[in-house]
Amino acid sequence: MCKEIHCIVKENNTHDEEIQQNQIHVHVDKNDHNKRNHNAHTSENHVKQDTSRVKSKNESKRDEKRLNSKENNNEVKFWLVGSSIVKDMNAKKIFRYQSAKITTLRDKTIKGAIEFLETGKLKADNIAYQVGSNDLDEKSAEEVVNDMKKLVLATQRLVPGSNIIINELLPRYYKNYKHTEDYEVKRLDCNALLEKLCSEFNLKFVHHRNLTQINFSDGIHLDVYAGIGIYVRNLKSIVSPLLGVVNPQYTESRPSNWRSQQHERHYTFNRNPWDNLHDHSSQWQDKFTNNNFNEYQQTSRRNSDMNLKLLRLALEGLHY
């Protein structure tokens, strides 16, 4: 009886130990499972964070590329902004195969150019300004250059990456000679300071020294036929290399139709201005070397005979 009781107690103790060991094992398993879940959750968070960081970096790179593409690949390649001097110019005739625009300011001063720039409409790879002449009538050369510096800084801030071209101030011919002389002295000083400003800010400067009084229609505005072509030729000598435009003088023959000839006459002007004189002399030379020479000689003889008859009649009238 005692043996049986001892066996039962022993079996119960053994069973209790097994249960306790099982409970400990289950508790250890739960702890391991919780640790695994925690580690998995932590690693998943790290993966998400790394993925978000990679996405943010990729997005920032895309934004930078998009920004750079906007800065350097504007829809308009060339934009000329100026006073009434540019009102008669045609952008399509200046650059036929490039997107170009010309804007005549309402407020035809440097301040008006800054106001137009701040509207956000002016977006181009190459921006040229023809302003300052109206300002120089009332201000000194130093004041005009300071205003132009503000315009340059505003352009660099609002249209980053664009090439800035400054045209020198053009001469003016007033009816009052003293007024013309005073303006010319200030203009030369102002242009010298503007050229220095362009070298300081790494800008392009366009000279128009070959424009004289005969190139202006009213002393202030350029003549449509005699002045605009020379102005555009000077401008294209600076802008064309920026656009990668090749001089058509050396790459293609001169056009023969009337419209192309008119376009070349008004806006191309890639030749020497003295070439026009050479063209006229060659035309007269051709006239004398062809069959029309006899007709020209006969006409001269008829005119001389008529003059002799008139002289004879005049002498006879004096005799009577």
Side-chain angles (χ1 to χ4, degrees):
M1 188 72 180
C2 290
K3 287 182 180 180
E4 290 179 358
I5 292 172
H6 181 72
C7 289
I8 291 171
V9 171
K10 189 176 181 179
E11 287 177 359
N12 290 334
N13 292 333
T14 304
H15 181 68
D16 292 337
E17 288 178 358
E18 289 178 356
I19 291 173
Q20 187 176 3
Q21 289 178 358
N22 289 333
Q23 287 178 352
I24 292 170
H25 182 69
V26 168
H27 182 68
V28 170
D29 290 341
K30 284 184 179 181
N31 289 333
D32 292 339
H33 181 69
N34 290 334
K35 287 181 180 179
R36 290 194 198 99
N37 289 337
H38 178 70
N39 293 332
H41 184 66
T42 304
S43 62
E44 185 178 356
N45 289 335
H46 285 302
V47 170
K48 287 182 180 180
Q49 290 177 358
D50 294 336
T51 306
S52 62
R53 288 174 185 171
V54 171
K55 285 183 179 179
S56 62
K57 288 182 180 179
N58 292 332
E59 288 177 357
S60 62
K61 288 181 180 179
R62 288 195 207 100
D63 293 337
E64 289 179 1
K65 290 181 179 179
R66 196 180 298 114
L67 181 61
N68 293 330
S69 63
K70 284 184 179 179
E71 288 179 0
N72 300 322
N73 295 313
N74 293 296
E75 293 181 358
V76 180
K77 298 301 178 184
F78 173 72
W79 202 318
L80 175 61
V81 180
S83 60
S84 55
I85 292 175
V86 303
K87 64 184 177 66
D88 294 323
M89 297 181 189
N90 191 332
K92 293 182 180 179
K93 290 184 178 180
I94 296 177
F95 295 107
R96 290 180 291 175
Y97 305 109
Q98 298 286 339
S99 56
K101 284 187 177 183
I102 296 177
T103 297
T104 304
L105 299 169
R106 292 183 179 179
D107 182 1
K108 300 170 178 58
T109 61
I110 299 175
K111 180 183 177 183
I114 296 175
E115 290 176 353
F116 176 69
L117 179 64
E118 289 176 347
T119 60
K121 298 178 182 178
L122 183 56
K123 299 292 183 182
D125 292 341
N126 303 279
I127 301 173
Y129 292 109
Q130 182 62 68
V131 289
S133 298
N134 295 327
D135 301 78
L136 194 62
D137 262 338
E138 300 178 356
K139 297 181 179 180
S140 64
E142 291 77 10
E143 290 174 337
V144 172
V145 173
N146 288 333
D147 292 341
M148 191 69 74
K149 184 177 180 180
K150 294 178 183 178
L151 175 61
V152 170
L153 293 174
T155 305
Q156 291 179 344
R157 176 172 54 86
L158 297 174
V159 194
S162 62
N163 296 314
I164 303 174
I165 303 105
I166 303 296
N167 289 274
E168 73 171 11
L169 274 60
L170 304 184
R172 288 188 170 188
Y173 303 94
Y174 297 102
K175 293 181 180 180
N176 187 340
Y177 177 76
K178 185 66 169 61
H179 192 185
T180 301
E181 187 177 5
D182 293 340
Y183 178 84
E184 186 65 14
V185 172
K186 291 199 299 181
R187 186 184 75 88
L188 294 176
D189 292 340
C190 187
N191 284 336
L193 293 174
L194 285 176
E195 189 171 6
K196 185 178 179 180
L197 178 69
C198 290
S199 61
E200 180 182 351
F201 283 87
N202 195 22
L203 312 177
K204 302 296 181 181
F205 188 70
V206 184
H207 292 282
H208 296 288
R209 295 171 181 171
N210 51 354
L211 289 171
T212 59
Q213 188 172 359
I214 61 173
N215 303 124
F216 292 84
S217 59
D218 56 359
I220 296 177
H221 301 97
L222 291 169
D223 183 76
V224 177
Y225 298 101
I228 290 181
I230 298 176
Y231 178 94
V232 170
R233 184 193 66 187
N234 298 335
L235 182 63
K236 289 177 69 174
S237 65
I238 300 298
V239 179
S240 293
L242 298 176
L243 298 177
V245 177
V246 182
N247 192 335
Q249 178 185 1
Y250 306 104
T251 57
E252 59 183 11
S253 60
R254 293 179 60 185
S256 58
N257 60 348
W258 182 83
R259 286 188 178 179
S260 297
Q261 287 176 354
Q262 294 299 314
H263 178 275
E264 183 182 7
R265 178 185 176 190
H266 292 285
Y267 291 105
T268 305
F269 283 98
N270 289 316
R271 299 173 294 165
N272 191 300
W274 295 103
D275 288 350
N276 294 329
L277 181 62
H278 175 72
D279 290 344
H280 289 300
S281 62
S282 62
Q283 290 175 5
W284 281 105
Q285 186 178 2
D286 293 337
K287 184 174 182 180
F288 284 117
T289 53
N290 60 20
N291 295 328
N292 292 331
F293 175 76
N294 293 329
E295 182 180 354
Y296 175 81
Q297 193 175 23
Q298 292 173 4
T299 303
S300 299
R301 286 176 181 175
R302 285 196 298 268
N303 291 336
S304 61
D305 292 340
M306 183 65 68
N307 291 332
L308 289 174
K309 289 180 180 179
L310 292 173
L311 180 60
R312 190 179 297 112
L313 290 173
L315 292 174
E316 289 176 358
L318 290 174
H319 180 70
Y320 288 110

